[in-house]
Amino acid sequence: MTPLAELPAGFADKVLSAQSTFRAVMDAMARPGSVQRIAAVAGAPKGMMPGTAAIALTLFDHDTPVWLDARMSARPDVAGWLKFHTSAPVIADSSVCSFALFGDPRDLPPLDRFAFGSNEYPDRSTTLILQVESFGRGTAVELRGPGIDGTAMLQVSGLPRDLFERLAVNATLFPRGVDVVLVRDEKIVAIPRSTRLAMRGG
Amino acid sequence: MYVAVKGGERAIENAHRLLAHERRGDRDVPEVSIAQISEQLSLGVDRVMAEGSLYDRELAALAIKQSRGDLIEAIFLVRAFRATLPRFGATEPVDTGEMQVRRRISSTFKDIPGGQILGPTFDYTHRLLDPQLAEGFAPEGPMVGDASGAATPRVTDILGRDGLIEPSPQGRADAIVGDLTREPLDFPAERDLRLQNLARADEGFLLALGYSTQRGYGRNHPFAGEIRFGEVEVEFMAEDAGFAVPLGSITLTECQMVNQFKGSATEAPCFTRGYGLAFGQSERKTMSMALVDRSLRARELGEELIAPAQDEEFVMSHSDNVQATGFVEHLKLPHYVDFQSELGLLRKLRKEFADATAAAPMREAAE
Amino acid sequence: MNAPSYNFAYLDEQTKRMIRRAILKAIATPGYQVPFASREMPMPYGWGTGGVQVTAAILGPDDVLKVIDQGSDDTTNAISIRKFFGKTAGVATTTSTAEATVIQTRHRIPEAPLHGGQVLVYQVPIPEPLRFLEPRETETRRMHALGEYGLMHVKLYEDIARFGHIATSYAYPVKVNARYVMDPSPTPKFDNPKMDNCPALQLFGAGREKRIYAIPPHTNVVSLDFEDHPFARYRFDAPCALCGAGDSYLDEIVTDDKGGRMFVCSDTDYCETRQAAGHRGSESAAPHREVAHG
């Protein structure tokens, strides 16, 4: 494992970078399917995209247990970097994590391995952060629901073939369910549980 | 011609300037110092520390000065400052059994190991206004004796050895103690959060609730097992060093109530507990707290929930004087938009009522 | 003495993270009240601490902030909050609805249509729409979980039985995204239709009650009503005495003690913008003149 001193840096300006990153994530969540850009510059361990790193630095802390997929876990720097910069506990039990990070979403386990929250407290649920290959290519899906004026189209490559079908099922659990943030480099797209998905060719 | 009201900003500035002037009062009278407040209004300072949840005499005294002696306003100032402080962790539990007691009394035994120690108390003073104090008064120095080496074990521990009182619930060593300033409350709340809520609660509110239990609204037969006040050591576990580092000592008041016993076919009867703890010398507060703590244990002890003091949602939602004063006083803010909407509705309903009553006699006449 | 020093936008970063996470969950569950560990703020509970915490968590140096109370930028509490952020965050402030990126409000929604680049932050005193029907949090939480809102309909119907109308003129309950019944904060019901399909993000902060909730842009928001008693806006039937507007919510100004009164826009920016464009009402400073349209 890399010694602490050699871990990549976090944000240069913690306060303002976290603020601008949060606004990008908030805009993404408020406008499902729209591509938002994270402008803040952050160091990131190998295997973690800058967008993922910025989100982690912005939202993670010792109150948010984090779960890593096999690809992320295989990079010893990832857990060390997260712990050093965010103090977030990295845990093995996915059912109680606040955030789950996927270096390779094609290995996405069944969604019910994560926290859906309860009908009383639907907020006690996992946010999945998936690093994908690209936006604008690959599987296409039509989105409707809160945050969308009519419909929005989204195309993503590097996801499990059936992710959108699984998220369509996720939406039927509302208000329970997981929320998803897709990351490609410094670009992000969110699909909250309130979004209804319909498959389109592509 | 009508010109809309403007100049709110100037008005605010001038009001604050006037407030500062009034706070100072007659400038021929010497200004009160923080040290004077801390030393001579020390029970007020204690209350501000306790309900402000911040152990800092100097800041509490400053808050009292700034608030012109309005203690709830002072508590609010301290809380608002506290909310901005970084949190490094939780200290080791303090051991009140090892307290350097300055006062310690039990109403359940005539004498106790370590003795009854009256200490600085208003008890048994005759409440006659003292003109001497108005003049400036140099009191005699206190009587001084040799410190006793005798231990002062807690009365409830003595009762506990014979199983006469339920054991004090022991938390798991690794259990996380709740903190309602970091996590929003949800109900039912566990005792750690209830005690934290009560420790920060308004003294007057707890006093009234505790009093209500004595008058039969959820009676629980209290005895003041022990009230002690003095200094305890505070230690912080330094993870790097691997041992607890002493941070200093704080003054605390602790009240342990011994309450009505419970028992069943499978369990020998024993007394139950109510607990109160607060910064400084805060006897009324900790006694009231202990009464209300015991009342709020009704659910856990299988008692019928019939009284306000047993209703944790009611008690915990209304105990905080900073919240309460804010919401009560927010009625001072303009509400004219909603009032206008309400006026419109009321005028409409009254008109319909008037039309209906005007129409009714005419119908009758026509019949 | 521990001399106080404060962070950008007052809140410390850990508090901001906690609030930001709550905001994201609130957006994902429109109308659901997310509990959050509200902090003691340097202003009293009930005076906008929830809205202030939400604003502090989202505000950045490029934002332009507008603060209104009762629709006015010049009411004392609005000034106080605007100054607070001017001082702690150094952000630009404005009274113009169109120019603002973040608008914090108490009791009104601006008259000018909001746009997609804006966030409207509401100060909320009692976030629970069912609270006055059922004081217990444990009960109301169960009702929301089951989507069981019969109690609310019974209450509204009792009004009709007694008064012939739904006797709720402000804080009029809405249903968000066909799921949660939500308190719109004590805005007059005149403002309710503005919440529906609004292009701006709407965030609600209740500090004392420790709840945050949200309506994402373009979300379906319906005021509760009955087929035979449909929801209706209320507006005093008069043009604004200053700008002549016939579509704005009006304040009633008592002008003497002999029943004299006049009606002017509650939204001061709307009124001033119209006056600047040449619109005039009966009490305007300048004589009334026809405004050329088109």
Side-chain angles (χ1 to χ4, degrees), chain B residues 6-7 9 56 76 79 84 181-182 311 313 323 326 330 334-338 340-342 344 347 352, chain C residues 2 10 14 37 39-40 43 45-47 70 74 79 106 136-138 165 169 186 210 234 249 252:
Chain B
K6 288 274 179 196
E9 193 155 348
D56 190 319
F76 178 19
R79 288 266 195 97
T84 66
T181 67
R182 317 302 294 187
D311 183 334
E313 225 184 297
Q323 289 176 12
H330 108 285
H335 283 78
Y336 57 78
V337 160
D338 291 344
Q340 190 58 41
S341 204
E342 204 77 342
R347 281 176 179 145
E352 285 175 3
Chain C
N2 299 306
Y10 183 78
Q14 200 200 324
R39 299 289 193 254
E40 260 109 4
M43 61 223 18
Y45 282 120
W47 298 52
Q70 314 296 299
D74 204 44
I79 293 168
R106 176 170 173 266
R136 274 173 206 286
E137 166 71 13
T138 34
H165 297 278
S169 62
K210 303 179 167 50
Y234 161 78
Y249 189 78
E252 179 173 339

Side-chain angles (χ1 to χ4, degrees), chain A residues 14-16 18-20 22-23 25-27 29-31 56-64 86 98-99 119-127 145-150 174-177 179 192-194 196, chain C residues 7-8 13-14 16-18 20-21 23-25 27-30 32 34-35 57-61 63 101-102 115-119 137 141-142 144-146 177 179-180 197 199-201 203 216-219:
Chain A
K14 283 183 186 172
V15 174
L16 298 183
Q19 189 275 333
S20 69
F22 168 70
R23 282 292 275 276
V25 179
M26 183 179 89
D27 287 343
M29 203 58 93
R31 293 178 170 76
L57 294 167
T58 300
L59 295 175
F60 296 8
D61 58 30
H62 52 74
D63 292 333
T64 59
T86 74
S98 301
F99 294 94
N119 281 319
E120 283 77 15
Y121 292 97
D123 53 305
R124 297 178 181 173
S125 56
T126 304
T127 301
I148 301 165
D149 189 7
F174 191 89
R176 299 168 69 232
D179 306 310
R193 71 194 83 173
S194 57
R196 300 185 291 280
Chain C
N7 195 14
F8 175 82
E13 289 303 295
Q14 200 200 324
K16 285 186 197 163
R17 271 195 301 276
M18 176 270 295
R20 286 166 179 166
R21 292 192 297 260
I23 290 172
L24 296 179
K25 290 295 176 194
I27 293 170
T29 52
Y32 165 71
V34 180
I58 68 174
L59 207 61
D63 277 310
T101 57
V102 176
H115 57 78
Q118 294 177 313
V119 184
E137 166 71 13
R141 184 162 291 280
R142 190 187 56 80
H144 284 296
L146 300 173
N177 189 29
R179 175 58 179 82
Y180 281 106
N197 197 34
L201 170 63
L203 298 176
H218 303 293
T219 297

Side-chain angles (χ1 to χ4, degrees), chain B residues 65-175:
Chain B
K65 179 172 179 177
Q66 189 174 332
S67 65
R68 309 173 66 190
D70 178 339
L71 293 191
I72 292 182
E73 180 69 23
I75 289 161
F76 178 19
L77 287 167
V78 166
R79 288 266 195 97
F81 174 66
R82 179 195 189 275
T84 66
L85 297 175
R87 181 189 159 88
F88 299 116
T91 67
E92 296 296 292
V94 294
D95 183 358
T96 52
E98 293 292 314
M99 179 185 278
Q100 286 287 327
V101 295
R102 284 202 263 163
R103 167 168 163 79
R104 185 244 192 164
I105 53 163
S106 170
S107 71
T108 51
F109 296 99
K110 183 173 184 191
D111 201 4
I112 41 176
Q116 306 254 20
I117 301 166
L118 217 43
T121 177
F122 292 122
D123 298 351
Y124 317 112
T125 61
H126 295 142
R127 270 60 171 208
L128 303 170
L129 280 172
D130 184 354
Q132 270 188 303
L133 275 178
E135 299 301 318
F137 172 63
E140 294 174 75
M143 288 292 295
V144 180
D146 290 328
S148 157
T152 50
R154 286 176 292 226
V155 168
T156 44
D157 292 348
I158 298 167
L159 284 169
R161 264 197 291 279
D162 299 331
L164 289 168
I165 192 165
E166 59 173 341
S168 185
Q170 297 294 313
R172 285 203 336 270
D174 58 340

